[in-house]
Every structure is written in structure tokens, then in C-alpha cells.
Amino acid sequence: MEKNYDFRKRLEIIHKPNLCSSNILPQRDEVLIEEGWSIVIHQQATRLVFNVAKDLQDFFLVSMNVSVVLKRVADLRAAAQEQNVIILATEEELPEYCPRSSTLKCYRFVCASGRVIICGKDERGVGQGSYFLEDLMSLRQAPVLKCQDIVRQPVFAPRMVHSGWGIDKFPDSQLNAIAHAGMDAILVFTKGVDETPSGYKDFNHLVYRAANYGIDVYFYSYLVSEKHPDEPDAEEYYDSTYGALFKACPGAKGVILVGESCEFPSKDSNTTQRLRKDTPSDGLSSTKPSPGWWPCVDYPQWLNMIKKVIHKHAPAADIVFWTYNWGWAPEEARLELIRNLPEDITLLVTFEMFEQFKQDGVTSYCADYTIAFAGPGEYFKSEAQEAKKHKIRLYTMSNTAGMTWDFGVVPYIPVPFQWIKRHQALNKAHEAWELSGLMESHHYGWWPSIISELAKWAFWEPSPPQNKVLRDIAEREFGSKGAPIALDTWFHWSEAITKLVFTQEDQYGPLRVGPSYPLLFLQGAFDSKTNLPAAKHAMIGNRIVLTNYHPHEHVLQSPGASRLAVEINSLHEFMNLWNKGIKSLERAIAELPKAKREDGERMLGLGKFILNTVRTTVNVKEWWKLKHQLLGEADPLVASKTLEEMVSIARLEIENAKATISLVEADSRLGWEPSMEYMTDREHLLWKIKQVTRVVEEEIPKFRQTLALTGGE
């Protein structure tokens, strides 16, 4: 049984112990690394290369049970002629082995009899080459390498990610894990110089520490913009905010700008022309969106101002403009904004959002991040095409670290075949529209998993086919007997995810927190006062969980009530497929030796948690449907029968919550999300059980009394 936050102990483990299988012997075209080998670096190697060398030494000892010596030498050329050596070098140190590619972070990997040479175009290439060596041996389950001579380079840079350890928290172990996963940039929420929503942080020290692992730092702006750029003192004002940030921390790589977090008082007549936080003078809400939710014609003017004050202090800073908030807006308005973007601005477009689907006569759309639809969506394609036409650097929000809002409090979503489809779609977007950078998670962070491992292989070239990599991963994790059964699990789960509902009410409701989500009857149902308990230290807490469930209406989708039956049927299909996967995984785990069973059991717990989450979602929809039938029912006898159905659902949901307690106690990462903190741990599940029990034992009996007074009983 784990206590809350015990999952962080597992995040400290970079190299999985005892991966080496004693019965694997090298083939004729392979090299065995054993006792007597050395890792060799230049005596003047940078701190990053030195850290990489120490990390590789640790990998051999911990994962491969091989002790190798670490040496510093004055002449790497001479060392490269020796036997039983692994040379880690940059272009400057070993130019004859340097890759001819001009791509930064690329490397040449040479494995021949008696030696391995990794030569990076730069020091970050050395690091990624060393991690590649680890990846090869991990999949081979032995300190054995195939003889080869290849040059590998990243498809995407940057690959940005939020912390999986805690919101804006990056201990060295987290930075090291991010580097090993192939990601090269981190995202930090920023309200001002050395200020995050969670409090003080030394930004310069974070930049320094991240550089030890070949990682850049991007600010995710929460800075307030209260002035229009054409106001007389606007430049002075913005220099005191964005300018001050980069003056204080010029080593930061760039900044992410998204409408809802850093809107400004636009003069676009399609908007309210004021910030969302500002109260209208007449006290009436507007039918128009605030500037953060519209492709305002004066965003280019604002961006020019931001660029001016930032580049004064950090000329190479990457200024990234994200169109997340207005993908629903008319295409022409969106594309006109892109045509007018200033030079040296990077465009960030979400990959799958706003896509519309028709199923059984009703329309739904991707309300937010989902892997149920691999993408790309039409919104992304329209803006990507325009960006290429105008030679604008293009990034996308891809979620390829392994998480989306499909399930808000899990470490990753184990649907590898569906993720492979997204990886392939992203690589095609790279070819078609010159997509060059990825934002791989939002504040729900990431978790080192089979999904992040697949993404790393997908986003470097050359790499083996994704299906082969997945088969190799399955064999490493489940053995030769269990691997085909595990693949069967992942196939069923990957098929199931395409049946998932991804409406706003689901992603902000039961899918966000799972079985701790309440069933409101009358108390709290109309005033939204029944909220899940939230930790005082949470950045967002329960503010992004809408407990007053009701099907939202939206211009892009069918009326909520008309969608319910289709959504419920689809979720039942999900549960049937997902449960097949669980049964297969149980059989795969039965084939595992005791040493490997813990990881398999944890994946099984994740699968069961997801299944329970979807059960809750179905129960919530059925509950809402019955409750609204009840409140509109004139016949007391029919109303009484409806109440009986609601009590049955409530009791099922109580049992579902009870069944989830053992899952979250076994794995403390389940039920937690960095910005919300714990939403579905034991205490929250007990709260849910108490809340639903009160509905059954107090609220519904009181309602029955009103029926009795009207002659219904």
C-alpha cells in the first residue's frame, strides 16, 4: 500500500534495475560490453557530457549488472583506436566521426568490434546518443549491441513538457527522466520575475540545472496585459513585464502566449474589448467573447510589442503564439490573423481540437485534448497550411507525452496503437507542413511509460517501425510468452478509446476525476455548491471540476439531451472492449516471473481505474437523464418508479467507488493531477460514498414524502 505522493519515489528511478537477461548471448554481428570496458570522455568535456558519462556508467551497473570504468583523456583520437571503449565526443573533439548533418542534437553512432563511438553534432547530441545506447540495450535486455554505423537526428525540436513530479517542480531526477525520454524543453508557468502561480522559483537556477541535462526552459505566460499596444506608455508597461522577465532571465529559451492566460484589451469589435476579469460598466454580461477567445485583428500589433521588449534583452528568444482558444471561430478570421503575424513569431496549433463527428444522427466535437481521435483536425490543417504558405515556424500541442483530458487523474493512457496513429500523423504533418516543434503535455504533466518510449522512437530518424518497437517493449515487459497476450490487451484498449465520449461536460466532469465524482440530486444540483474537497496548496484544485453535471449545448454539436443515448451506447462499447483488455492482461501477468510482476500489476490497476472511471461516466449520464425525467413527471407513480431506478444507479456507483479504493492505495499516482493535486484518493472516494449515501438515505426519502402527499404511494 502506498501513501499519497509515494509515486515520487518511483520517479527517482531513472534506470530500471536488473534488465539484463542472463541467457542472452551476442550473435556474430554483435558486441558484448562486459567487465574491462571503459567509458571515455575528453578531459575538458563540458558538464553536460560529464553528467551523461556518469549516467551511462550508472545504467550499466544498475540495469545491466556490468561495472565499467569512467576515464578522462587528453586525446580522444588515440582513445578511439583502443579496444573495449565507449567514446563520448562532440564534433570539436572528434571531427572525423562527426555526422555531416547540420541538425543540432544529431549524432553518429558507431559500433564495431571492441569499441562504440558516439559523436554528437553538439553536446546535446552526445547525450541523446548515449540514451540511444541505453534504449538499444534495454530492448535487447542485455549489454549487447549490433554492429552498425548510423547518423540519427530528431524530427522535432523543441519537444516541450510540463513536470510530472509536481506543478512547476523540477528536481534533478525529473530533468534526467525528461532528457532520457528524448524531450528537450520544459514549461514553467510564469506570473513575473521568479514568480509562478505556486510561489517563488529561481528561474536562472532552473535554467542552469536544466542545461545539465540538455534541456531548455520555456515560460508559459500568466502575465497580465492591461494595456493596448497603441497606448502612449505601452512600451514602458510591457518592458516592465515581459521585458523584465527576460532581462532577469535571458537564458530562457522562449515564451508561450495563449489567449485565455494573457489576453489584452483588444479593440476588435467582435470582442468585449476588455479583459475577462474586468467587470462591465453596465453590469451586464456580453454576448461577445473576451479578446482571449477571438482571433483579434490587433493581436499582431500586440505580438510586435511583446517581441520588441523581449528581444531587447534576449534576441534569440522563441515567441510562441498559440491559437487554442479560437479554433471554433470562422476560418477566414483565423487565417487572416496568421497572414498578418509578425516575423519571427512561432505559431502553435492544437492537433486534434474542434474536430466534428457524426454518429447515429447526432453531432459531437473534440472539446479539448483527446487521443480518441488521432488527428489532425481540420482546424489544425487549415492553420498549418497557412503557416507553410507564409513561412511561419509551426509547432503543435500533441499530448504525446502520453496524457490528455480523456482521463484527468491517471499517469498515462495505455492505448499504444492509437498513439502510434498520432505519431504517424505528426510525422506526416512534419513532411507536409514543416511542423517542427511539439508541446507534449499541459499541466497534467507526464509519466515515463511505454507511450513516452514509443514517442521517442517515433520522433527520431532513422528508427524501426513503431509496431516492431511495441513488440520489443511487450517482450521486455512481459516475456516471450506474455508478450502476444499483452499486445492483445493494448489492441483492445486502443480500439476502446475510439469509443470514448470527449464532450466538455465529460472532460470537465466524471472523466476528469473518475469514481470520486458526485451524483447530485437536489442539494447542490442547482447552485453548484457541492464541490470535491481540494488541497490548500493546489494551484487550481477543484475549480476545473464541474460537479453540477448537465449536457452542454454548443454551436458545433447536437443538443445535449439528444446525444445522451448515443453517448451511453458508445461508452458501453468502450467498457466491453476495455474489459477484454483487462482479461488479457491478467493472463499476461500470470506468465510473469515475480521480479517483473509489480509493473504488470500496476498497469492492470491503471486499466481497472480507467474502466471504473467510464462506469462512473455512464452512471452520471443515466442519473442526469432520470433526474430530469423525474422533475418533469406529473404522475406520482411513474415518478416513484424513476426514483427506484435512481437508487439502483446510486448503489452501483457506491460499489464502484468502493472498488476503486484498493486501486488508488496500491498506486499513489492514480487519482492525482499536478494542478488539482489529489482528487480521487481514498479520502475523496470516501467523501463520494458519503455524498451518494446521503442522497439515497436522506434526500430521496424526503422527495418520496412529497410524492406521498400527492397520492403517489
Side-chain angles (χ1 to χ4, degrees):
M1 181 184 296
E2 289 192 340
K3 296 180 180 178
N4 283 2
Y5 299 104
D6 273 357
F7 68 84
R8 286 174 174 165
K9 297 175 184 177
R10 284 183 270 132
L11 283 176
E12 298 291 318
I13 301 171
I14 306 301
H15 300 129
K16 188 176 289 189
N18 303 314
L19 279 178
C20 185
S21 177
S22 58
N23 61 356
I24 295 179
L25 298 175
Q27 303 298 311
R28 298 182 73 179
D29 61 343
E30 292 182 327
V31 172
L32 172 67
I33 302 198
E34 54 190 340
E35 303 285 335
W37 278 63
S38 301
I39 299 169
V40 184
I41 60 174
H42 196 274
Q43 64 184 14
Q44 309 253 325
T46 65
R47 57 192 172 96
L48 190 159
V49 172
F50 184 51
N51 284 340
V52 167
K54 290 191 294 181
D55 177 271
L56 183 58
Q57 184 183 38
D58 183 75
F59 166 80
F60 275 110
L61 186 61
V62 173
S63 298
M64 295 290 119
N65 301 316
V66 174
S67 179
V68 296
V69 176
L70 175 57
K71 295 180 179 179
R72 291 186 177 193
V73 300
D75 187 351
L76 277 181
R77 287 182 173 177
Q81 303 305 312
E82 297 176 4
Q83 287 289 299
N84 300 339
V85 292
I86 301 171
I87 307 291
L88 303 181
T90 62
E91 176 182 21
E92 183 179 356
E93 295 162 346
L94 207 59
E96 58 266 42
Y97 281 93
C98 179
R100 294 179 180 176
S101 171
S102 60
T103 304
L104 294 177
K105 293 191 280 287
C106 75
Y107 56 85
R108 184 178 173 193
F109 185 93
V110 180
C111 178
S113 179
R115 66 178 64 88
V116 177
I117 298 174
I118 298 170
C119 185
K121 190 71 178 179
D122 55 11
E123 59 178 355
R124 295 188 177 192
V126 177
Q128 290 303 318
S130 181
Y131 305 147
F132 175 63
L133 182 151
E134 293 182 17
D135 294 340
L136 291 173
M137 291 186 174
S138 294
L139 288 182
R140 189 72 168 82
Q141 301 178 73
V144 172
L145 292 168
K146 186 175 182 179
C147 293
Q148 57 189 301
D149 184 348
I150 60 171
V151 172
R152 299 186 82 233
Q153 55 190 13
V155 178
F156 299 109
R159 292 180 57 195
M160 302 176 276
V161 71
H162 283 277
S163 173
W165 198 93
I167 203 74
D168 294 330
K169 294 179 173 64
F170 292 95
D172 283 354
S173 59
Q174 178 68 185
L175 294 171
N176 199 8
I178 288 169
H180 275 73
M183 294 172 280
D184 59 4
I186 56 175
L187 291 155
V188 182
F189 290 114
T190 310
K191 296 177 70 176
V193 176
D194 290 343
E195 183 182 3
T196 74
S198 303
Y200 173 82
K201 180 171 289 293
D202 186 337
F203 289 156
N204 282 307
H205 189 239
L206 178 60
V207 169
Y208 173 82
R209 288 193 302 109
N212 286 335
Y213 300 93
I215 294 171
D216 292 319
V217 175
Y218 275 79
F219 294 130
Y220 187 113
S221 176
Y222 273 10
L223 293 169
V224 178
S225 297
E226 294 188 333
K227 289 187 179 291
H228 192 277
D230 65 6
E231 294 184 46
D233 58 347
E235 183 173 345
E236 181 182 359
Y237 170 79
Y238 282 106
D239 196 37
S240 72
T241 56
Y242 285 95
L245 179 63
F246 280 85
K247 180 179 181 181
C249 188
K253 181 68 173 179
V255 62
I256 310 295
L257 306 169
V258 60
E260 67 182 52
S261 298
C262 52
E263 61 182 353
F264 74 108
S266 169
K267 295 182 178 180
D268 193 313
S269 61
N270 291 293
T271 74
T272 60
Q273 302 185 6
R274 63 173 183 270
L275 304 185
R276 178 178 44 158
K277 69 182 182 64
D278 293 340
T279 304
S281 57
D282 57 10
L284 299 175
S285 60
S286 175
T287 58
K288 297 179 179 180
S290 69
W293 277 262
W294 184 261
C296 304
V297 294
D298 43 2
Y299 262 117
Q301 190 180 356
W302 180 79
L303 284 166
N304 258 324
M305 178 63 73
I306 300 299
K307 182 179 78 169
K308 182 177 182 180
V309 298
I310 289 177
H311 282 176
K312 180 166 68 173
H313 306 290
D318 188 8
I319 298 172
V320 184
F321 184 55
W322 189 7
T323 62
Y324 164 83
N325 287 105
W326 50 78
W328 57 272
E331 181 176 292
E332 184 52 36
R334 293 187 289 103
L335 300 188
E336 183 64 21
L337 170 55
I338 292 172
R339 295 181 196 113
N340 291 307
L341 287 178
E343 291 183 359
D344 298 327
I345 297 293
T346 300
L347 181 69
L348 176 63
V349 187
T350 310
F351 200 62
E352 77 278 15
M353 275 183 70
F354 302 107
E355 191 69 2
Q356 297 183 51
F357 297 90
K358 284 198 173 182
Q359 181 182 4
D360 296 339
V362 302
T363 301
S364 59
Y365 80 110
C366 292
D368 218 328
Y369 316 125
T370 181
I371 190 57
F373 168 54
E378 292 302 318
Y379 142 69
F380 172 85
K381 287 192 280 188
S382 66
E383 298 199 357
Q385 290 165 358
E386 199 67 24
K388 181 179 181 180
K389 189 184 302 182
H390 295 277
K391 299 181 179 179
I392 297 170
R393 187 164 52 242
L394 177 67
Y395 300 166
T396 189
M397 169 53 159
S398 62
N399 288 300
T400 38
M403 258 295 290
T404 67
W405 276 133
D406 290 323
F407 302 101
V409 288
V410 299
Y412 65 98
I413 301 176
V415 292
F417 289 104
Q418 184 73 354
W419 285 110
I420 286 173
K421 291 178 182 177
R422 175 156 297 179
H423 300 160
Q424 292 170 339
L426 288 163
N427 283 329
K428 287 180 181 177
H430 170 72
E431 297 169 4
W433 303 302
E434 299 176 12
L435 175 67
S436 61
L438 305 177
M439 183 174 173
E440 301 207 53
S441 80
H442 206 356
H443 52 70
Y444 34 71
W446 77 293
W447 185 267
S449 71
I450 62 170
I451 306 304
S452 59
E453 188 173 0
L454 270 175
K456 180 180 180 181
W457 284 99
F459 300 150
W460 279 81
E461 54 184 20
S463 282
Q466 287 262 281
N467 285 340
K468 181 185 184 307
V469 174
L470 186 59
R471 287 196 301 272
D472 290 344
I473 291 173
E475 187 158 335
R476 182 191 67 202
E477 297 298 315
F478 292 94
S480 57
K481 290 184 178 179
I485 312 173
L487 288 167
D488 188 57
T489 288
W490 296 337
F491 176 81
H492 285 307
W493 286 356
S494 299
E495 180 68 18
I497 198 68
T498 65
K499 312 297 182 183
L500 191 72
V501 175
F502 36 68
T503 63
Q504 184 173 351
E505 61 266 27
D506 295 298
Q507 289 194 340
Y508 278 82
L511 291 179
R512 183 149 297 193
V513 297
S516 63
Y517 191 79
L519 291 179
L520 303 186
F521 183 51
L522 297 180
Q523 185 171 338
F526 302 104
D527 55 19
S528 298
K529 290 182 179 178
T530 300
N531 292 318
L532 275 79
K536 291 182 180 179
H537 62 279
M539 183 181 94
I540 299 177
N542 58 22
R543 297 198 306 275
I544 53 174
V545 184
L546 304 179
T547 55
N548 182 18
Y549 184 90
H550 64 278
H552 287 271
E553 310 301 334
H554 193 281
V555 68
L556 296 180
Q557 64 188 157
S558 300
S562 72
R563 290 184 277 106
L564 273 182
V566 172
E567 292 171 1
I568 290 169
N569 288 338
S570 188
L571 290 176
H572 277 294
E573 291 183 59
F574 176 102
M575 290 192 290
N576 288 334
L577 287 164
W578 200 267
N579 198 47
K580 286 181 181 179
I582 286 176
K583 298 303 180 186
S584 292
L585 186 57
E586 288 173 338
R587 290 191 291 114
I589 291 171
E591 299 289 342
L592 284 175
K594 187 176 180 180
K596 286 192 171 186
R597 192 160 292 180
E598 183 179 348
D599 287 344
E601 292 285 358
R602 195 166 280 122
M603 182 179 289
L604 180 62
L606 168 61
K608 289 180 176 180
F609 184 93
I610 288 174
L611 182 61
N612 289 0
T613 294
V614 176
R615 283 198 183 107
T616 293
T617 305
V618 170
N619 287 336
V620 166
K621 290 176 183 291
E622 296 281 13
W623 180 266
W624 184 90
K625 183 174 65 173
L626 290 170
K627 182 170 66 174
H628 282 263
Q629 288 175 6
L630 175 72
L631 297 179
E633 181 55 61
D635 186 336
L637 289 175
V638 175
S640 181
K641 291 179 181 178
T642 302
L643 279 174
E644 287 298 328
E645 293 183 62
M646 293 181 70
V647 169
S648 295
I649 290 173
R651 296 196 189 284
L652 286 173
E653 190 52 28
I654 288 172
E655 293 306 310
N656 193 41
K658 287 180 178 178
T660 307
I661 291 175
S662 61
L663 302 177
V664 301
E665 287 182 330
D667 183 353
S668 60
R669 179 55 183 80
L670 295 175
W672 178 84
E673 189 271 345
S675 73
M676 296 188 292
E677 299 293 340
Y678 279 100
M679 285 283 115
T680 321
D681 58 355
R682 175 186 175 86
E683 295 306 314
H684 282 82
L685 290 163
L686 291 175
W687 172 88
K688 152 67 171 283
I689 293 167
K690 182 178 179 180
Q691 183 269 322
V692 180
T693 300
R694 186 190 65 198
V695 169
V696 171
E697 296 181 355
E698 297 179 22
E699 291 189 57
I700 288 181
K702 286 181 180 179
F703 193 85
R704 283 186 186 279
Q705 291 176 3
T706 66
L707 294 181
L709 291 175
T710 61
E713 294 185 349

